[in-house]
């Protein structure tokens, strides 16, 4: 188990302790940082309240969300570029092509690339024009599906509850889920970032079992950073990731909170990935625009080498 209960003072101290916290991803612990963290907690002594400090322990994972982009020609070129790039870091990589090209991409991409769909239906297939069922993904050997992306929430009216139900159905069908959460600019400016993320997570927690979390990746994607070129700063992202992990500890279990992988998404590119990857609670990325450039995407995958 990777949680330690320690004491510290205010919320400000919480984020300080959290940003100083040690990661044991890969089983390595940095005792010096851990000692510093405890010293900070001791200094804050008086107004102390309980703070759980957690270390993410999962393998770095990068997803490429190709969204509704591409032609046969451009997709073939992208696959060739990805196959010729060298993934040298210890990283899991998942590419999500548009549905119509999934079969083609799956037959072209070589290991380590895995495939995800960008959506699936909430229940068994049938009279649901335009949809694809989790059974179909399973049948076509598609191991992953992205659910609850902000574009589907805002453009297709998917509610938190609907995303929770979809997540459960996909998992029960044997398809693993990248579950997206994140706040809008207005919600961030109103100070609601964590509450919005927690409500989105709760709707998923309400539907799934503790064991299901073995097959879920959380993607934190602030809506204001998606496709805008405005990336969250590493500290902004880390703060939310640490908050999400703490919430998972309190609302699911210490074990799940430690193991669940939390990706950051929103204008990640070849230039900003290395620094973001150093943050202890960032366990990977979900990449939109830059995933359409094979060379850039391979560089982003290799930023896993910077994760602590
Ligand atoms: P972006 O998209 O990298 O283009 O900002 C991320 C996403 O929507 O998953």
């Amino acid at each position: 188990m990777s949680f330690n209960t320690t004491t510290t003072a205010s919320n400000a101290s919480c984020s300080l302790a959290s940003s100083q916290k040690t990661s044991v991803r890969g089983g390595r612990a940095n005792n010096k940082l851990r000692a510093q963290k405890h010293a900070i907690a001791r200094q804050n002594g008086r107004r102390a309240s309980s703070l759980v400090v957690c270390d993410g322990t999962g393998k770095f994972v990068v997803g490429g969300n190709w969204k509704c982009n591409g032609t046969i020609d451009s997709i073939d070129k992208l696959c060739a570029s990805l196959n010729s790039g060298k993934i040298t870091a210890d990283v899991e990589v998942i590419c999500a092509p548009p549905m119509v090209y999934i079969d083609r991409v799956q037959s072209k991409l070589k290991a380590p690339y895995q495939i995800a769909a960008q959506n699936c239906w909430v229940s068994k297939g049938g009279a649901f024009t335009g949809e694809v069922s989790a059974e179909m993904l399973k049948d076509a050997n598609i191991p992953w599906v992205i659910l609850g992306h902000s574009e589907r929430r805002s453009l297709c009216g998917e509610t938190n509850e609907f995303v929770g139900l979809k997540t459960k159905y996909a998992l029960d069908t044997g398809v693993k889920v990248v579950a997206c959460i994140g706040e809008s600019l207005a919600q961030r400016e109103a100070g609601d970032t964590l509450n919005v993320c927690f409500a989105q997570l709760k709707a998923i927690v309400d539907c799934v079992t503790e064991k299901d979390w073995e097959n879920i990746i959380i993607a934190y994607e602030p809506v204001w950073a998606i496709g805008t070129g405005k990336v969250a700063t590493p500290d902004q992202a880390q703060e939310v990731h640490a908050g999400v992990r703490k919430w998972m500890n309190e609302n699911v279990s210490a074990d799940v909170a430690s193991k669940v992988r939390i990706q950051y998404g929103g204008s990640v590119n070849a230039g900003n990935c290395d620094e973001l990857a150093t943050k202890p609670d960032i366990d990977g990325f979900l990449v939109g625009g830059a995933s359409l450039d094979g060379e850039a995407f391979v560089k982003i995958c290799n930023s896993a080498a910077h994760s602590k």
Side-chain angles (χ1 to χ4, degrees), residues 65 67 149 151 221 225-227 265-268 286-289:
N65 178 6
K67 304 193 181 182
H149 190 280
E151 285 149 15
E221 301 201 293
I226 294 178
S267 297
V268 175
L286 186 54
V287 187

Side-chain angles (χ1 to χ4, degrees), residues 252-266:
V252 184
S253 72
D255 190 46
V256 168
S258 154
K259 288 181 183 155
V260 72
R261 292 176 293 176
I262 310 173
Q263 294 175 317
Y264 168 76

Side-chain angles (χ1 to χ4, degrees), residues 82-98:
L82 290 170
N83 283 334
S84 67
K86 282 209 171 35
I87 306 239
T88 50
D90 186 21
V91 60
E92 196 172 343
V93 189
I94 304 166
C95 293

Side-chain angles (χ1 to χ4, degrees), residues 57-93:
T57 56
K59 182 170 177 165
F60 208 82
V61 57
V62 177
N65 178 6
W66 299 3
K67 304 193 181 182
C68 191
N69 290 297
T71 59
I72 287 179
D73 185 51
S74 72
I75 283 195
D76 284 357
K77 285 184 180 135
L78 179 52
C79 289
S81 169
L82 290 170
N83 283 334
S84 67
K86 282 209 171 35
I87 306 239
T88 50
D90 186 21
V91 60
E92 196 172 343
V93 189

Side-chain angles (χ1 to χ4, degrees), residues 157-213:
E158 295 195 4
T159 62
N160 293 354
E161 291 66 33
F162 193 61
V163 173
L165 291 171
K166 282 175 122 178
T167 300
K168 181 59 178 164
Y169 195 81
L171 293 168
D172 284 352
T173 309
V175 181
K176 297 181 275 190
V177 174
V178 177
C180 304
I181 60 169
E183 82 288 1
S184 67
L185 184 59
Q187 289 164 335
R188 173 162 282 260
E189 286 174 350
D192 278 341
T193 297
L194 287 175
N195 286 339
V196 168
C197 292
F198 296 163
Q200 291 168 339
L201 274 177
K202 183 172 186 308
I204 296 169
V205 167
D206 286 348
C207 292
V208 306
T209 64
E210 189 177 334
K211 186 149 179 48
D212 283 333
W213 285 98

